[in-house]
Amino acid sequence: MLYKDFLKNLDKCPFCDGGNNRHLLKTETAYLTYALAPYHKHHLLIVPFRHEEIILGLTDKEVLDMDFLQEEALKIFKKLGYKNMSVLEREGDNTSKSIPHLHNHVIPEVRIGDLDHNGNERRVMSESEIKDVVDEIFSVL
Ligand SMILES: [Zn+2]
């Protein structure tokens, strides 16, 4: 089944519902599991038990527990012989392209694609584009 079809057929949150029997490790507030639609065969996920959709909505305890599980996932990958890992904290969203329950991806030696989020070939920004981005960020600091 394609991941996009899996997402279309969801009738409940798989991290709230199905996560219980897929724990590799767990703490009081979060668990480590494997991705059902992985980018890499050893693609792991860290998920808070509580259904939270935004990073800033995590409690201090959830942040600590997720950091602990991230360390454990990285140690597992080292033991499996990987040298490089990537971590991506993913908020739930309403684009139907991800599970709407915050989760962290921990992936060994994954090649992040050549395409940007719009599906276009990635390119290096021009000096004026860099200035615009930096100005925009400083405008909200
Ligand atoms: Zn959920």
Side-chain angles (χ1 to χ4, degrees):
M1 177 188 298
L2 294 176
Y3 183 56
K4 64 184 179 185
D5 296 329
F6 171 79
L7 290 174
K8 279 184 207 163
N9 294 323
L10 284 178
D11 58 349
K12 54 191 168 192
C13 178
F15 290 154
C16 287
D17 182 57
N20 287 337
N21 55 14
R22 295 192 303 117
H23 300 160
L24 299 171
L25 290 172
K26 63 182 178 180
T27 65
E28 184 182 327
T29 67
Y31 62 93
L32 177 70
T33 188
Y34 49 90
L36 290 176
Y39 288 109
H40 181 286
K41 75 174 184 176
H42 290 133
H43 179 169
L44 299 179
L45 301 174
I46 301 163
V47 185
F49 283 113
R50 184 175 63 84
H51 187 100
E52 176 57 59
E53 297 192 7
I54 61 172
I55 296 166
L56 292 175
L58 290 173
T59 66
D60 291 346
K61 174 69 172 152
E62 287 167 330
V63 170
L64 287 172
D65 282 358
M66 291 179 74
D67 283 350
F68 169 78
L69 291 171
Q70 180 177 301
E71 285 288 317
E72 294 303 306
L74 295 173
K75 289 177 191 172
I76 290 168
F77 289 159
K78 283 287 183 197
K79 288 178 183 173
L80 289 172
Y82 295 111
K83 292 183 171 67
N84 304 108
M85 289 72 129
S86 297
V87 176
L88 170 68
E89 189 157 26
R90 178 96 157 128
E91 289 190 331
D93 67 15
N94 58 9
T95 63
S96 300
K97 292 183 178 172
S98 182
I99 304 295
H101 180 143
L102 180 149
H103 53 286
N104 291 9
H105 296 258
V106 188
I107 312 166
E109 298 180 356
V110 68
R111 178 177 170 186
I112 302 297
D114 294 328
L115 304 179
D116 67 16
H117 70 281
N118 292 318
N120 300 314
E121 188 83 17
R122 286 174 63 198
R123 60 180 184 75
V124 176
M125 290 192 294
S126 68
E127 288 299 321
S128 70
E129 289 170 322
I130 292 170
K131 181 185 180 315
D132 289 346
V133 168
V134 171
D135 287 349
E136 186 177 10
I137 291 170
F138 276 124
S139 76
V140 297
L141 286 180

